Structure formats: C-alpha cells, structure tokens
Amino acid sequence: QVQLVESGGGLVQPGGSLRLSCTASGFTFTTYAMKWYRQAPGKERELVAAISSYGGVTTYGDSAKGRFTISRENAKNMVYLQMNSLKPEDTAVYYCNARGVIPPEYWGKGTQVTVSS
C-alpha cells in the first residue's frame, strides 16, 4: 500500500529554520514528481515547492522563493523541504504529495509547522 509520512514539523521562532522530511513507500518513487503543499486555517491549499522525478527541475511558490529548498534522495525514497527565515505567515499544515504520469495522486497526512515568538 502507498504511504507518505511527513516528519520534522514543530514550533519555531520567527527567523528560524526547519527541515521537513517525507518518507515514501508502496510505489515506484523514481517515476513520481514530488510536491509540498501547505494549508493554513481558513485559507486555500497552496503549492510550496515541487521537484521532478530525478531532481533536475524545481518549482517554488512565490511565498517560498529565496527561503525554501526542495530536494530528494531517490535511493532512500525521501523528499525534503528546507525552510529558512521562517515567518509567522508560514504557519500551516504541510503536506507531502506524489504525482505520476497518470492518476491517482498520493498524499501524506501532514505535519504542523507553527512560527511564533
């Protein structure tokens, strides 16, 4: 069965850093693009970052550009999101997503990131 399990969330002060991890299993990881989304209370789900199956192409949402970095280690079936210079508006549940050539997409259950002093 397919599983995506996020970890690394928590409480951090403004200006701090966190690294989120997503561990994948149950599908051919190397054929899937991986994405990070986030959703804050009362707001729409937002794309944070995406990375192609072999890591050659990355895409970032406007809010993440210059501060966040997505990466993957295909040998470990893992994808990461390094978040620096965190702001209170980054507070959200962060979700790991896997998308292949055809449906369905797969989603993790999310990890909470709270940026507050």
Side-chain angles (χ1 to χ4, degrees):
Q1 62 182 19
V2 171
Q3 284 193 314
L4 298 174
V5 181
E6 302 96 336
S7 62
L11 175 64
V12 64
Q13 294 186 347
S17 298
L18 284 174
R19 190 181 77 158
L20 305 184
S21 298
C22 175
T23 302
S25 61
F27 64 99
T28 306
F29 184 74
T30 54
T31 67
Y32 280 72
M34 300 297 297
K35 300 178 180 179
W36 287 96
Y37 286 86
R38 70 185 185 188
Q39 189 166 29
K43 295 185 178 180
E44 296 288 333
R45 184 181 63 185
E46 175 188 16
L47 175 68
V48 178
I51 187 166
S52 60
S53 59
Y54 285 89
V57 180
T58 57
T59 301
Y60 296 93
D62 288 341
S63 64
K65 291 178 180 177
R67 300 188 298 128
F68 296 0
T69 303
I70 189 171
S71 61
R72 66 192 295 162
E73 291 187 79
N74 284 349
K76 296 181 178 180
N77 284 9
M78 296 189 71
V79 62
Y80 308 97
L81 184 68
Q82 178 67 46
M83 305 188 294
N84 299 324
S85 302
L86 284 162
K87 305 173 181 179
E89 49 263 48
D90 295 319
T91 296
V93 177
Y94 285 71
Y95 297 93
C96 182
N97 165 269
R99 183 189 63 80
V101 175
I102 60 174
E105 297 183 14
Y106 302 109
W107 294 87
K109 295 180 180 179
T111 186
Q112 177 71 46
V113 172
T114 302
V115 184
S116 177
S117 59

